[in-house]
Amino acid sequence: MGGSHKNLIFVYGTLKRNHRNHFLLEDLISTNDAVYIGQRTTRLQYPLVTGLYGIPYLINKSGSGQKIRGELYSVSKHGLVRLDELEGIRVNHYERLPIEVIDEDEEEEPNGVVLAEAYFAHCGFGERLWEKKGEVFRLFYMTCVRICVYN
């Protein structure tokens, strides 16, 4: 079914390889609706908190938290619809917002910034989640960021 891959999507949690929702990206790759580009890191720091059932949420508060490591995919319009469905865009679970990512291992352009989109906790509850868990996670990030599961 494949389509043009024009949407760059940065994934950081359960959609990453070897995580529980990666099956969707595998399916999209098999139908030529997604292409894995490589590992990337956010240019800015963001809070990453864990909600119910261990689900990670990126909070749209740049400058707090840490730089987040994840994976970059090019996704067709059809693939984007399926990802939005999984992430609960229509029910305000997550929202897809712009994010700048970098390839820290790139030798030719070490600081080349790419504009992509990522799934952030919906603003309706993301800030409350950060306020509720922020102090605990700020301490966590300061002491344990090198062993974080999402690195």
Side-chain angles (χ1 to χ4, degrees), residues 2 6 9 13 23 33-34 36-37 41-42 61 63 71-72 75 78 89 95 118 120 145-146 149:
K6 296 187 180 184
I9 301 296
F23 71 89
D33 283 302
Y36 173 74
I37 295 174
T41 302
T42 59
K61 286 184 78 79
E71 300 168 356
L72 188 64
V75 181
H78 171 74
I89 295 291
E95 56 188 337
F120 287 84
V145 71
R146 297 209 193 292
V149 164

Side-chain angles (χ1 to χ4, degrees), residues 52-139:
L52 289 175
Y53 311 110
I55 297 172
Y57 293 94
L58 195 58
I59 309 296
N60 191 17
K61 286 184 78 79
S62 63
S64 299
Q66 296 294 318
K67 291 184 177 184
I68 308 300
R69 287 185 166 194
E71 300 168 356
L72 188 64
Y73 291 84
S74 179
V75 181
S76 71
K77 188 172 184 174
H78 171 74
L80 200 56
V81 168
R82 292 194 53 205
L83 286 168
D84 284 355
E85 198 174 285
L86 176 79
E87 297 292 5
I89 295 291
R90 259 200 258 166
V91 294
N92 297 331
H93 193 184
Y94 285 91
E95 56 188 337
R96 189 167 24 90
L97 299 172
I99 193 167
E100 293 179 337
V101 296
I102 58 174
D103 181 353
E104 293 180 337
D105 297 327
E106 184 68 38
E107 290 180 20
E108 292 178 19
E109 280 189 63
N111 294 316
V113 177
V114 173
L115 183 61
E117 291 182 303
Y119 292 97
F120 287 84
H122 190 274
C123 64
F125 76 93
E127 278 203 34
R128 288 191 311 270
L129 184 62
W130 177 237
E131 288 169 7
K132 181 178 178 183
K133 295 191 171 196
E135 188 58 37
V136 171
F137 283 96
R138 278 188 283 273
L139 292 172

Side-chain angles (χ1 to χ4, degrees), residues 23-39:
F23 71 89
L24 177 54
L25 280 166
E26 288 175 345
D27 186 51
L28 294 175
I29 290 168
S30 75
T31 59
N32 198 31
D33 283 302
V35 174
Y36 173 74
I37 295 174
Q39 293 191 14

